[in-house]
Amino acid sequence: MLNSQQQQWTANLNPEHQHDAQLVFEHLCVAFNMSPFFQHNNMSMRVNGDHIEGYIEMQPHLIGNVEYQILHGGVAATILDTMGGAMAMSELYKRGKPEDFELTLKKIAHLATLDIRIDYLKPGRGKHFITHAEVLRMGSKSCVTRMSLVNDENVQIAVGIASYSY
């Protein structure tokens, strides 16, 4: 059985809700938005139609290159990685069987980044940035996702591919 902190992190869902994509997205957004790191950096996740997206407003403490006032590459990598992980979690819920719900929760609680590659395409200029992710492959022990980061003018800033174990 998961402790209360793990239940909160795994979106605090019940077996009868695991295939309701909208509800899963809403619960995952709440769980990630409660992260102290997300709160410290003014990052958030939100449901937008039939998907979730990561959102971050440009803040002075997120600037990596002071001369050009661009987003730090580590911030871009962090929000891309987080969005990829969130999509992996949602896919685990989607594919899980109600009779194996405890196993699904255990996988989600143990999800970790195995490998990530980020390609920085343009300087991180903008008032805010939005990231999306999609699952490319789901295996029995790992998942591969593709992520994208755009600015407020819809200019693609960075893309990434990551694999997650569970």
Side-chain angles (χ1 to χ4, degrees):
M1 191 64 170
L2 299 177
N3 66 39
S4 63
Q5 191 173 19
Q6 289 171 319
Q7 287 175 337
Q8 184 178 11
W9 177 244
T10 57
N12 212 16
L13 288 168
N14 298 315
E16 62 270 11
H17 299 128
Q18 76 182 64
H19 295 115
D20 181 341
Q22 190 75 16
L23 189 61
V24 168
F25 288 159
E26 289 170 10
H27 280 254
L28 285 172
C29 288
V30 168
F32 276 93
N33 290 341
M34 290 176 53
S35 157
F37 184 80
F38 252 47
Q39 291 176 358
H40 175 75
N41 289 298
N42 297 321
M43 295 179 180
S44 63
M45 282 195 195
R46 60 191 184 193
V47 178
N48 187 351
D50 62 350
H51 64 277
I52 56 176
E53 60 187 23
Y55 178 83
I56 185 167
E57 290 213 23
M58 180 58 107
Q59 303 284 324
H61 70 277
L62 301 178
I63 292 171
N65 185 316
V66 178
E67 178 78 19
Y68 294 103
Q69 299 289 297
I70 60 175
L71 186 69
H72 191 285
V75 175
T78 297
I79 198 146
L80 287 167
D81 182 26
T82 303
M83 183 54 58
M87 286 308 299
M89 288 177 174
S90 71
E91 194 69 17
L92 282 165
Y93 275 122
K94 179 176 156 185
R95 294 181 184 214
K97 296 177 183 166
E99 62 270 17
D100 295 331
F101 189 68
E102 287 296 320
L103 178 60
T104 299
L105 289 179
K106 187 176 178 180
K107 287 179 179 181
I108 289 168
H110 290 98
L111 190 125
T113 307
L114 281 175
D115 185 51
I116 187 166
R117 175 192 164 90
I118 306 294
D119 291 315
Y120 300 97
L121 307 174
K122 298 269 185 177
R125 292 188 183 96
K127 295 175 185 165
H128 67 262
F129 304 90
I130 296 173
T131 184
H132 297 100
E134 65 178 320
V135 172
L136 297 178
R137 181 185 180 282
M138 193 77 177
S140 60
K141 295 181 181 181
S142 66
C143 176
V144 178
T145 64
R146 178 181 314 150
M147 303 83 64
S148 175
L149 178 72
V150 298
N151 68 9
D152 53 296
E153 296 178 358
N154 207 33
V155 173
Q156 196 168 50
I157 303 299
V159 294
I161 295 203
S163 58
Y164 302 89
S165 67
Y166 39 84

